[in-house]
Amino acid sequence: VEKSMKGWKEIEYEVVRDSFDNCITVCNMENFDPLGVHTGDSIVIAPSQTLDDEEYQMLRTCAIKVVRHLKVVGECNIQYALNPDSRQYCIIEVNARLSRSSALASKATGYPLAFVAAKLSLGMRLPVIRNSVTKETTACFEPSLDYVVVKFPRWDLEKFGVKVSKQISSAMKSVGEVMSIGRTFEESIQKAIRMVTDYRVQGFNSDGLSPSDEELRNPTDRRIFYIAAAFENGQTVEHVHQMTKIDRFNFSFSLCFFFFFYI
């Protein structure tokens, strides 16, 4: 291993390009968990919430340059690792195909990526392809979101008992996911938690778990509830951040929840 990037932010961009070199970014997404947890096992937020404009434009420009350099025609997914303490970044993957993230991006933005990619493979240009969802714009318009979408993974590890480790890492273990939409990140993630637990858990709470720093350092499929347990036990945002390396902003929903809950 030449260098470890564990703990860096993981960011994704969905890019489309036609054979005439027209190129746009359709959606950018951010993992709730830092690098080290597979995207399929991480909460994903669209659009990104913790990037400043300079970081966003820096990664967007890089994505377009990469797609043009590789002469990709169609849809392309680019994943980055971004150092949270600087503007240093690395490209983790370039997938010149549709992926699970592409499905999320399509639903989140209303931009039919698979439909557009198929048209582009036939040699059509982005400006002449009509958006089949909005029926108003062409495929050359970048979507603009005034809402937040959260993807929350669903696991089914209980059926295996003690034979299977419940820790989540670079190997994907989730068997499905839910998607929620809200005007804010706080609203979206609360909806997602309720849906993924079939309304057994009403929003962000510990679900009866006791706080554990070990569970924060080495995440399992119950990570979000151990984070809640830590806050219920009086732990600070800084402490949980140091244990998990999750961006401090992503804990804003927990502070809002506990404020209104205890009021």
Side-chain angles (χ1 to χ4, degrees):
V1 178
E2 295 179 358
K3 183 176 183 179
S4 172
M5 292 177 286
K6 189 175 182 179
W8 288 22
K9 294 181 183 181
E10 188 167 350
I11 312 292
E12 293 185 60
Y13 278 74
E14 297 291 333
V15 188
V16 292
R17 176 183 175 272
D18 64 21
S19 55
F20 296 86
D21 209 28
N22 297 305
C23 189
I24 65 168
T25 56
V26 174
C27 183
N28 91 308
M29 295 164 284
E30 177 179 9
N31 284 15
F32 180 87
D33 299 286
L35 202 66
V37 175
H38 193 285
T39 300
D41 281 340
S42 178
I43 300 167
V44 178
I45 308 147
S48 59
Q49 300 293 294
T50 69
L51 300 185
D52 61 32
D53 186 60
E54 187 174 340
E55 290 171 330
Y56 172 84
Q57 297 296 343
M58 174 182 70
L59 298 180
R60 177 184 178 276
T61 300
C62 176
I64 291 175
K65 286 182 177 179
V66 168
V67 170
R68 281 179 166 158
H69 178 75
L70 296 176
K71 294 181 171 55
V72 174
V73 173
E75 195 272 348
C76 186
N77 167 269
I78 299 184
Q79 298 180 23
Y80 296 100
L82 176 66
N83 190 329
D85 301 318
S86 69
R87 302 205 187 279
Q88 182 184 8
Y89 67 91
C90 296
I91 296 175
I92 306 172
E93 291 183 33
V94 177
N95 300 307
R97 57 174 173 77
L98 293 163
S99 63
R100 286 185 305 275
S101 299
S102 305
L104 173 64
S106 290
K107 294 174 184 176
T109 61
Y111 189 102
L113 279 168
F115 173 83
V116 172
K119 295 288 186 180
L120 296 179
S121 68
L122 296 174
M124 295 183 68
R125 294 184 294 121
L126 280 171
V128 302
I129 302 174
R130 303 296 298 180
N131 187 313
S132 60
V133 175
T134 64
K135 301 186 186 303
E136 293 181 359
T137 59
T138 69
C140 210
F141 280 78
E142 293 191 356
S144 178
L145 307 186
D146 61 352
Y147 51 88
V148 178
V149 175
V150 167
K151 182 272 288 184
F152 202 111
R154 181 191 294 273
W155 294 272
D156 197 16
L157 301 175
E158 288 78 10
K159 66 169 59 176
F160 299 105
V162 297
K163 296 181 180 179
V164 174
S165 169
K166 294 184 178 181
Q167 285 195 359
I168 54 176
S169 58
S170 58
M172 180 177 167
K173 295 182 178 179
S174 66
V175 295
E177 59 196 32
V178 302
M179 187 186 85
S180 62
I181 302 176
R183 301 298 277 179
T184 64
F185 171 58
E186 292 85 353
E187 177 186 347
S188 296
I189 196 165
Q190 299 271 22
K191 288 180 178 178
I193 292 171
R194 289 198 295 270
M195 286 191 291
V196 82
T197 59
D198 296 322
Y199 291 88
R200 179 178 55 81
V201 179
Q202 293 299 314
F204 181 70
N205 64 67
S206 63
D207 194 25
L209 298 176
S210 301
S212 168
D213 283 353
E214 177 63 23
E215 288 284 345
L216 296 180
R217 278 192 296 265
N218 300 296
T220 65
D221 58 332
R222 306 284 287 166
R223 163 175 259 194
I224 195 73
F225 304 112
Y226 278 106
I227 291 173
F231 286 126
E232 287 179 6
N233 195 49
Q235 294 291 356
T236 64
V237 167
E238 186 60 31
H239 175 79
V240 178
H241 165 70
Q242 292 300 329
M243 293 291 102
T244 63
K245 299 304 179 184
I246 296 172
D247 193 279
R248 298 172 184 83
F249 171 85
N250 289 331
F251 298 131
S252 60
F253 74 93
S254 62
L255 302 181
C256 292
F257 177 82
F258 286 118
F259 174 77
F260 289 111
F261 179 80
Y262 288 113
I263 289 296

